[in-house]
Each structure stands twice: as structure tokens, then as C-alpha cells.
Amino acid sequence: MDPITLFKSIYSTLLLIFSIVIIFGLIALRQTNLSDSVHPAFAYFLFIISISWLTMVEGGQASLVGLLPVNKELYKDSHAKAYKSTAITNEGDNLDRYLLGRQFMVVLVVFCVNMSAGPIGGATLWGFPTWLTDIFFNGGLAMTLVTCMIGQLNSQVNASHCMLDYIDNYFALFTLWVAMAIEFSGLLHASYVIQLTVGALAGQPIESKEGPRSGAAAAFFWFRCLLSLTILSFCIAVTMVALFDGKTTMWESVPPGAAVVVFFVLMCIVGMLEGMQIAFFAVAKLQESERGSNIFAKKTCDLLYSGDGHNLPGFMIGRQLCVVSCMLFVARVTSVDMKGEANLFGVPDGVQGLFNTGLLGAVMLTILGSISWQLVASAFPIAFLSNPLTYVLLRLCLLLEGTGICQGAWVLAAIHKKIANFQRDEVYIGTAEERAKQEMGDDGGLPHVGTGHLVKLPGFSENAPKSLKDLMKKDTNVKNYLNEVAENMDTA
């Protein structure tokens, strides 16, 4: 490890430890939203459960998407529980359904983190100076670091290389069932309406691995779409009324009008960052001549794919920081707090309690601030990259990653891997070439990408051997040939 990386690892890990300590201190002194209104013990419980579950939500996605092309019979006996999970996601369009439900789980978990660990207005701790509390408490840096490094990046690092071991447990299987149940409930079916609309606008039908729906199935599907649109409309109404009336957990010093502006700005930034990874994945398969003539699209691609390829995973890390930070602020902006006044719309106390949880804001952010932007980016990636804001956000993400503030995630991943005794997948199932020689080659069916699908950039693994990458850099004929092979596979 070079000295710079070592320094980043040390200071990032120390920042993470400090963040954990002050969050636990705030909860103990009833200085967070939940510990102030209920009890610190419950706040501790919700915070720990939320972060722990997020590790499986993030790591499970990397594993299930990565294992899709692998012949599952290879690990049926060695990893029986992982086999149970992939037997579900590899069937029909279940992977898309899982990804949709999982997206809501991520937003919901972040909202729970804000509820349990988000500091109340004017929170103080152990005589810390104002500038420090403004950065770590009011600025949300402590919650962002803990959520990103422990809940997301750490799990993605290990799951990208140790997919089988990571999901070979009932916790992973239970998480999959919950995601599938969320999708089946119809809560997010408004996303399918957006999906079909985007496909129609792009002039491209939405690909499916399943046959046409029967009459009863189609009726049930559209009923859930209508129900979801109704719920979404109600969520918007409640959130807007609460914002304009100043009845949210937003700091009292922020005027209601400014809170509304902050809400829309942050939701658009989250949407841009969610859509960018989809657009980058789509454009990565295109030749330079096919990436359009827009100056910002060219600058974005030149920055993203230039050099030794470190900017792509670097963007993913910086993006994670930005998205979590924005989600935590949106959670504060949209969580209802009547401040002792009459219930919103005169609803019963039980319904008002539901409003106060922030669940309505989570539903709205998932559909309007995340999934819809991803669907648009999947249909119009070049147009998405032509937006000047895309280039600005890419620069910001790379700047954040360059600080090394999340380098501690690799330290955590190494510790976690050692404790859990994770082994690389090749130990159990061999490389793709070895599997092919045994007549147990990977399945031809890869995750659906393109219009209307939410498959994202790979996390931290690059499949091509280094020797092949070096050869592609030296010989453009090799690079062009491989691009041509990839295109032929896409059109086959």
C-alpha cells in the first residue's frame, strides 16, 4: 500500500470511529429525533438494525446481479441458501422486480437512520465547538460516513468478489423476500407506468422474459398501478402541505418557502445521480463516434473513460456520498412534525403517526427522485450526458472520492472478509473459462439493460484480465474487434 493510500485509510477510519461515537453519544443524551420522543434504547435498536440491513440490501444486489449468468447448478450443494435466492431472481423478470423493491428499501433505511440518529435542532454534545457540531451534526457528515462506509461501500467491495459467500445465509434470503413482497404489494407500481411511458417515448418496447399477461393478471397489474398512483398523489399532497405550513422536522430557522425549494433541488440532484450511473453504463458500450457531438457529452465521456479507468469506480464512490447526503436532508425536509398542533387534514392520531415516520416521503423520493430518473436515463442516455449538470456532478463526485474520506470502507471490508472467512467465487466455481471447459458454461441470459431497466454499473470488479486491457490500449484493432463482438452479442 502506497503512503498516500495508507494515510487516507487511517484518517478515514478515524473519522468513521469518531462519527460512530458522537452518534451514540447523541442518542444516549436524547439529542436525536427518536431518542428525544421515545427512548434511547429504541433509537439504538433502530439505528443498528437499519445499518445492518443496508449492508445486505447493497451486498445482495451486487451478488444477485453478478450471479445471474452463472450456472446455478455449480453451487447448488456448496451454497444451498445462495442457490435458493438465485433460483428466484433468475426466473423470468424477477430480477427487475427485486431491484424495484430493493430501491425502496434503500430509501426507507436511510429515512430510518435519519429518524434514529438525526440530531434535533440545537443539539450539543460534550462541549464541542459550534463549527464541529455544524459539520458533523447539522451538516449530517457523521450519519453520511456511517451509512456509506458501513452500510454500503463495505458490503459492495466484498460482495463484488465473494458473491456466493455473501448471500449464502437466511438473512440474504429474507431480504430478497421482503424486496419481492414490496414490489408485489403494488406500492411502487407507478414506476411501471413511467417505464411504459418512457419506452413509448423512446420508441422501444420494454423487453420481458415472460409471456403476455392473462386477463386476470393484467387486471391485477393495472389495479396496482392505479393504487400506486393514488398513493403517490396522496404522498405529494401531504408533503407539500406540511412543507408550506412548516410542519416538518426541517430546522425552524429555515422558512417554509425555502424548505420547498431545498426539497425539489435535492430531489433533482438525487435523480441526476441515480440516472447518471444508468447512462454511463449504457454509453460505455458505444464507440466514441456514437456518443453524440454535444460538448458536455464529450467532456463527460473523456473524463469518465480516460486514463487507467479509475474514474469510473471513483465516480461510484463519490456518487454514494452525494446520494446519501441528499437523502438524509430530504428525510429531514419531508418527515412530518406537527409541533403539538392539530393533526394534518384532521386525520386520527394513528394515521398522523404514519405521516410522522417519513414513510410518505420515502415513497415519493423512491418513485420521483430515483426510479423515474433511472428509467429516463436508460432510454435517453446521450441526452442525459449532454446536460451540463451531469458534467458538474461527475467532477464533484470525483473530487469527493479523491479526498479519500471513504477509504475506511476498504479497511472495514478487509476486516469483515477475514472474520466471515469469505472466499472469492473462483475458489468454488472456477473462472468463466474453467466453467466453459467443464461444459458448465455461463448462461447466455444477462441482466436486461437499456430502456426501462434498472441494472446499474458494476461495483468494484473489472472482469477483463489486465493483460487484455493492456493489449486493448496498445492495439486499437483488438479494441475495435472486441467492441464489434459485444455489439453482435447485443443484436443476436
Side-chain angles (χ1 to χ4, degrees):
M1 182 182 293
D2 63 88
I4 295 178
T5 303
L6 178 61
F7 170 74
K8 289 180 178 180
S9 299
I10 293 173
Y11 100 81
S12 176
T13 303
L14 291 176
L15 273 179
L16 176 61
I17 294 172
F18 178 69
S19 298
I20 295 173
V21 170
I22 62 176
I23 286 176
F24 275 53
L26 285 171
I27 294 176
L29 297 177
R30 294 180 177 269
Q31 296 284 298
T32 70
N33 296 320
L34 194 61
S35 63
D36 178 51
S37 58
V38 186
H39 192 277
F42 185 70
Y44 280 127
F45 175 78
L46 182 61
F47 178 73
I48 293 171
I49 289 297
S50 298
I51 294 295
S52 301
W53 204 348
L54 185 59
T55 63
M56 186 53 68
V57 172
E58 292 288 355
Q61 175 197 323
S63 298
L64 292 171
V65 172
L67 288 171
L68 181 63
V70 178
N71 190 327
K72 59 182 182 292
E73 298 302 319
L74 285 168
Y75 53 85
K76 182 177 181 179
D77 296 324
S78 63
H79 293 76
K81 290 177 280 292
Y83 177 85
K84 290 180 179 179
S85 293
T86 56
I88 296 173
T89 55
N90 290 14
E91 184 71 26
D93 293 331
N94 281 345
L95 183 62
D96 282 346
R97 295 186 179 100
Y98 158 74
L99 292 173
L100 188 68
R102 172 212 161 271
Q103 191 70 37
F104 177 72
M105 293 178 70
V106 172
V107 177
L108 183 60
V109 164
V110 172
F111 271 61
C112 288
V113 169
N114 174 72
M115 187 192 310
S116 57
I120 59 176
T124 58
L125 182 68
W126 303 329
F128 285 158
T130 303
W131 66 267
L132 190 64
T133 59
D134 285 343
I135 294 174
F136 281 89
F137 299 171
N138 300 332
L141 181 60
M143 287 191 295
T144 300
L145 292 179
V146 171
T147 304
C148 282
M149 282 198 270
I150 298 180
Q152 296 181 308
L153 297 177
N154 149 62
S155 56
Q156 291 174 3
V157 169
N158 281 332
S160 65
H161 297 292
C162 311
M163 305 177 202
L164 287 171
D165 281 346
Y166 203 92
I167 61 170
D168 192 40
N169 53 77
Y170 285 112
F171 185 27
L173 188 59
F174 175 72
T175 302
L176 169 61
W177 287 341
V178 172
M180 296 294 287
I182 291 173
E183 189 280 336
F184 181 79
S185 72
L187 182 65
L188 305 176
H189 268 51
S191 303
Y192 289 122
V193 178
I194 299 173
Q195 180 190 53
L196 295 171
T197 303
V198 169
L201 292 174
Q204 301 174 16
I206 305 300
E207 295 183 6
S208 174
K209 295 181 179 179
E210 299 176 353
R213 298 184 184 91
S214 64
F220 184 50
F221 171 80
W222 286 109
F223 167 76
R224 286 180 291 173
C225 288
L226 180 60
L227 178 65
S228 178
L229 288 170
T230 303
I231 294 173
L232 176 61
S233 300
F234 182 71
C235 292
I236 294 172
V238 170
T239 302
M240 289 298 102
V241 170
L243 279 172
F244 278 110
D245 289 348
K247 299 298 188 297
T248 71
T249 55
M250 190 66 171
W251 298 288
E252 294 183 2
S253 58
V254 180
V260 174
V261 173
V262 168
F263 166 70
F264 281 108
V265 169
L266 291 178
M267 193 163 68
C268 288
I269 292 176
V270 171
M272 285 293 299
L273 292 167
E274 293 283 13
M276 282 167 66
Q277 59 180 338
I278 301 294
F280 291 165
F281 180 70
V283 172
K285 301 187 297 179
L286 300 179
Q287 298 181 23
E288 290 187 21
S289 60
E290 299 174 317
R291 293 174 180 170
S293 57
N294 182 276
I295 184 173
F296 284 103
K298 286 187 173 182
K299 288 169 70 71
T300 298
C301 291
D302 289 344
L303 177 61
L304 193 64
Y305 305 118
S306 62
D308 53 9
H310 286 166
N311 284 349
L312 196 55
F315 158 74
M316 294 297 290
I317 296 169
R319 171 201 160 276
Q320 203 82 286
L321 276 169
C322 289
V323 168
V324 171
S325 300
C326 290
M327 281 186 176
L328 288 170
F329 273 107
V330 170
R332 176 175 287 275
V333 171
T334 59
S335 295
V336 179
D337 181 4
M338 298 309 295
K339 299 177 173 62
E341 298 185 16
N343 292 346
L344 208 62
F345 302 140
V347 299
D349 291 343
V351 177
Q352 184 61 52
L354 176 65
F355 293 172
N356 296 347
T357 63
L359 179 63
L360 276 64
V363 172
M364 187 166 56
L365 181 61
T366 302
I367 297 175
L368 299 182
S370 180
I371 294 174
S372 59
W373 291 77
Q374 294 178 41
L375 294 171
V376 171
S378 71
F380 308 103
I382 301 299
F384 210 87
L385 264 62
S386 299
N387 188 334
L389 186 57
T390 299
Y391 182 72
V392 173
L393 290 174
L394 173 59
R395 282 286 187 186
L396 175 62
C397 291
L398 292 176
L399 176 65
L400 288 174
E401 189 275 336
T403 64
I405 197 168
C406 280
Q407 190 69 30
W410 273 259
V411 178
L412 284 179
I415 296 172
H416 184 198
K417 183 178 180 181
K418 186 71 174 178
I419 294 174
N421 195 28
F422 288 152
Q423 299 291 325
R424 293 182 69 99
D425 297 314
E426 290 80 3
V427 173
Y428 304 109
I429 58 177
T431 64
E433 293 78 10
E434 290 170 344
R435 295 194 293 271
K437 289 179 180 178
Q438 298 172 4
E439 297 185 356
M440 294 290 283
D442 295 348
D443 297 334
L446 294 173
H448 277 149
V449 295
T451 306
H453 297 287
L454 306 183
V455 174
K456 304 175 183 179
L457 282 165
F460 298 88
S461 61
E462 296 178 60
N463 296 327
K466 184 178 184 302
S467 57
L468 180 56
K469 294 179 189 174
D470 294 339
L471 182 59
M472 289 174 66
K473 291 179 183 178
K474 296 177 182 178
D475 193 334
T476 56
N477 291 327
V478 174
K479 180 179 179 180
N480 292 335
Y481 172 74
L482 291 176
N483 284 333
E484 184 180 348
V485 171
E487 291 172 5
N488 291 336
M489 290 175 64
D490 289 339
T491 57

